[in-house]
Amino acid sequence: MNILYVGIDDTDSPKGMCTTYITFVIINKLKSFGFNIMGYPKLIRLNPFARFKTRGNGAVSFKIPYDNNNDLYKIKKIIIDTVSSDSMMSYENTNPGVVFYEITNNKKMDLRLKKFTYKAIYEILTIKEAKKLAQDVGCEFHQFKNGRGIIGSLAAIGSELEDKTYELLVYRVPKNYGTSRKVSYDSVVKMNKITYPYTFDNLDENYIAITPHTPCPVLYGIRGETPEIVEMAHKLVEFHEDIEGFCIYETNQHTDMHIQKINQIKDMVKDACYKIKGTVDETPRNIEGGHYFFNLKDNSGIIECAAYEPTKNFRETIKLLRKGDIVTIYGGIGAHNTLNIEKIQVCSLAEDYVLNNPICGCGHRMKSAGKNKGFKCPSCGLKLRNNSKIKIPIERRLKTGFYEVPPSARRHLSKQIIRMRNNNVGD
Ligand code: ATP
């Protein structure tokens, strides 16, 4: 069997469009010409620190079987023409890339493509190295403007998902783009009640988390464990506007595919995401704007960790950390070389205490007798030469276990604690 792998990326801008929507349009056009894709299209999230991302650094790929070169030509033409006409070309940072990779006679995919996917999730890559790889492995690529999208397109083609989730995306009709989304809150609450935890991130505090806040074509997206559950959940959601249709994507969202296991703080680099164990080195401090910071250390070094204001209630957990606590942090190193926490496992708690002056034999609390002069009882006048204060233990309000940021602050790639539990992942 001959299979064409198709990768598409960088077609949208903050003002509109979405690569998944262009893919949905392409898949429908292909279907109308009698070409059906194999399985589900893939929505692959890449390095969250990529500089030119529009939102969640997603790229798309799908597979399509073909019989002969005539069909291959028609398929490619439909794809290229649609990307060319529907992308937000006028936006400076929209640089679409389309990659075709043909596999004939059941040959296997070149391993270098699979490795490239991990590189695009772990590192920051250049257009030049993406083009070189495309040439080396025999991919055909089409670049629009500077063709940055070739990076994501190749990575989406090479992706092989051990752990995976699904997202059902519902698309609005164009006349409604940019208007407020008419989705019933109560129906989302009901849908969540019935389908959670097999669907997730449907609600956050008191609002719907499935609807985006951008002028893009997506009405809502439901994320879940299987194609069946996201489709069932979709049927439970009530909305009051016309839709163009929906498409289910297989994704690496909520799999922690971006998290690199590492043994030492000193080996961590900027623009990458890690799981790292260390000791809290100070009581967390806050700065204006409601951001919390603390230093984490191990034998190799120290890194500053952050829970920023958008992580909302998660900061209440961070505030409770104390010097000496042992924690494992999952997060990414962004600007200022600070580790931005996605979730934390509190492994063990240090003793917390306050230091008080000693109590005199007569029952009164003693006072300092001056610097390095010990204590003096204000009642009976007894003096103590020893300068040491008394440690009074304080009950820790924090418990050991996992804590995570709320859905509104969650990275697309971050695995929720509920998924870790259900898949028996974790320490
Ligand atoms: P959306 O999620 O709405 O599709 P987006 O956030 O995915 O938007 P894009 O418009 O796809 O943003 O732009 C991301 C750009 O970054 C693409 O050109 C992609 O090829 C490129 N890119 C992806 N991963 C990397 C990486 N690791 N290093 C450098 N560039 C990357």
Side-chain angles (χ1 to χ4, degrees):
M1 187 171 38
N2 300 328
I3 298 175
L4 177 70
Y5 283 72
V6 181
I8 306 173
D9 196 14
D10 208 342
T11 62
D12 54 11
S13 84
K15 294 213 173 93
M17 205 33 72
C18 172
T19 303
T20 71
Y21 175 70
I22 290 193
T23 304
F24 166 74
V25 170
I26 288 172
I27 290 172
N28 286 341
K29 277 190 196 168
L30 289 170
K31 209 185 262 175
S32 71
F33 283 90
F35 303 116
N36 289 304
I37 73 161
M38 295 166 76
Y40 294 96
K42 283 185 186 170
L43 166 58
I44 302 300
R45 299 288 177 179
L46 303 167
N47 192 327
F49 293 107
R51 201 171 138 219
F52 296 101
K53 68 176 186 172
T54 311
R55 286 176 290 265
N57 200 10
V60 171
S61 68
F62 58 86
K63 293 191 287 187
I64 187 148
Y66 64 93
D67 288 331
N68 52 54
N69 283 342
N70 196 16
D71 283 353
L72 188 60
Y73 174 80
K74 281 191 209 156
I75 293 168
K76 288 181 181 175
K77 182 162 172 17
I78 290 169
I79 295 165
I80 293 297
D81 287 352
T82 312
V83 170
S84 164
S85 63
D86 291 9
S87 296
M88 299 290 280
M89 294 295 185
S90 59
Y91 179 66
E92 189 193 353
N93 280 334
T94 298
N95 294 288
V98 175
V99 175
F100 297 125
Y101 180 58
E102 294 159 30
I103 292 207
T104 49
N105 305 321
N106 292 324
K107 278 201 214 120
K108 292 236 174 326
M109 178 180 284
D110 194 303
L111 270 179
R112 285 172 291 180
L113 268 170
K114 296 184 186 177
K115 282 194 187 149
F116 186 83
T117 306
Y118 277 97
K119 267 176 89 76
I121 294 174
Y122 289 170
E123 298 168 29
I124 300 297
L125 306 176
T126 61
I127 305 172
K128 197 171 157 201
E129 64 189 303
K131 284 186 183 169
K132 167 137 190 354
L133 176 82
Q135 274 156 355
D136 289 350
V137 300
C139 285
E140 172 183 330
F141 59 83
H142 295 258
Q143 97 174 56
F144 300 83
K145 296 162 68 185
N146 79 17
R148 182 172 290 108
I150 292 168
I151 301 172
S153 302
L154 272 175
I157 288 178
S159 63
E160 219 178 28
L161 305 181
E162 273 172 43
D163 186 12
K164 58 185 151 195
T165 63
Y166 292 83
E167 178 159 12
L168 182 146
L169 287 161
V170 178
Y171 298 110
R172 320 179 79 183
V173 292
K175 74 172 175 12
N176 289 332
Y177 291 173
T179 63
S180 72
R181 290 166 169 87
K182 298 187 181 63
V183 178
S184 147
Y185 172 77
D186 291 345
S187 74
V188 178
V189 171
K190 184 177 157 197
M191 174 275 273
N192 187 61
K193 215 171 186 174
I194 296 173
T195 60
Y196 179 87
Y198 303 104
T199 66
F200 25 77
D201 290 1
N202 300 314
L203 296 162
D204 194 350
E205 299 275 313
N206 292 322
Y207 74 88
I208 298 176
I210 61 172
T211 49
H213 303 283
T214 57
C216 76
V218 175
L219 179 61
Y220 59 80
I222 302 176
R223 298 174 177 201
E225 295 289 348
T226 64
E228 293 77 23
I229 195 74
V230 291
E231 196 160 351
M232 175 187 163
H234 163 56
K235 286 182 185 146
L236 294 166
V237 175
E238 288 165 22
F239 49 87
H240 305 287
E241 59 176 80
D242 293 336
I243 61 165
E244 209 169 295
F246 70 86
C247 186
I248 298 177
Y249 287 86
E250 185 178 294
T251 91
N252 63 346
Q253 291 171 166
H254 308 305
T255 62
D256 271 354
M257 195 175 178
H258 63 315
I259 298 287
Q260 303 177 53
K261 288 187 186 136
I262 201 152
N263 294 324
Q264 309 192 88
I265 287 175
K266 81 169 170 46
D267 295 337
M268 302 201 297
V269 296
K270 196 168 162 286
D271 296 331
C273 302
Y274 299 100
K275 172 182 173 182
I276 182 81
K277 192 167 188 171
T279 307
V280 175
D281 203 28
E282 58 180 332
T283 297
R285 55 203 139 83
N286 68 332
I287 61 162
E288 210 181 314
H291 314 301
Y292 276 80
F293 297 91
F294 65 89
N295 283 336
L296 182 81
K297 70 169 187 192
D298 68 7
N299 291 334
S300 75
I302 288 193
I303 181 121
E304 185 179 58
C305 302
Y308 291 104
E309 189 281 332
T311 64
K312 304 288 173 202
N313 275 343
F314 178 68
R315 293 169 302 162
E316 298 303 318
T317 301
I318 297 303
K319 269 190 214 171
L320 298 176
L321 290 169
R322 292 292 174 266
K323 188 177 165 94
D325 289 347
I326 301 196
V327 297
T328 299
I329 290 183
Y330 297 69
I333 303 192
H336 316 297
N337 282 320
T338 295
L339 183 64
N340 193 344
I341 310 171
E342 295 172 23
K343 60 181 172 255
I344 183 169
Q345 182 186 13
V346 179
C347 307
S348 70
L349 294 167
E351 189 192 353
D352 195 15
Y353 52 83
V354 283
L355 289 175
N356 275 350
N357 292 353
I359 305 277
C360 178
C362 74
H364 288 88
R365 182 160 317 272
M366 302 183 88
K367 288 203 162 152
S368 169
K371 200 171 177 207
N372 293 328
K373 286 191 178 149
F375 299 97
K376 187 177 174 189
C377 177
S379 174
C380 69
L382 182 81
K383 286 187 177 168
L384 268 187
R385 295 189 72 127
N386 188 344
N387 286 315
S388 312
K389 292 197 174 207
I390 311 289
K391 271 187 181 179
I392 312 286
I394 304 176
E395 198 190 329
R396 296 293 306 269
R397 282 167 51 217
L398 187 62
K399 302 259 176 289
T400 55
F402 279 96
Y403 299 87
E404 66 191 344
V405 302
S408 57
R410 182 143 39 240
R411 286 200 193 288
H412 295 288
L413 278 158
S414 281
K415 189 166 193 156
Q416 299 91 338
I417 294 166
I418 187 76
R419 286 206 79 236
M420 294 173 86
R421 282 198 195 120
N422 290 344
N423 300 353
N424 288 325
V425 185
D427 290 336

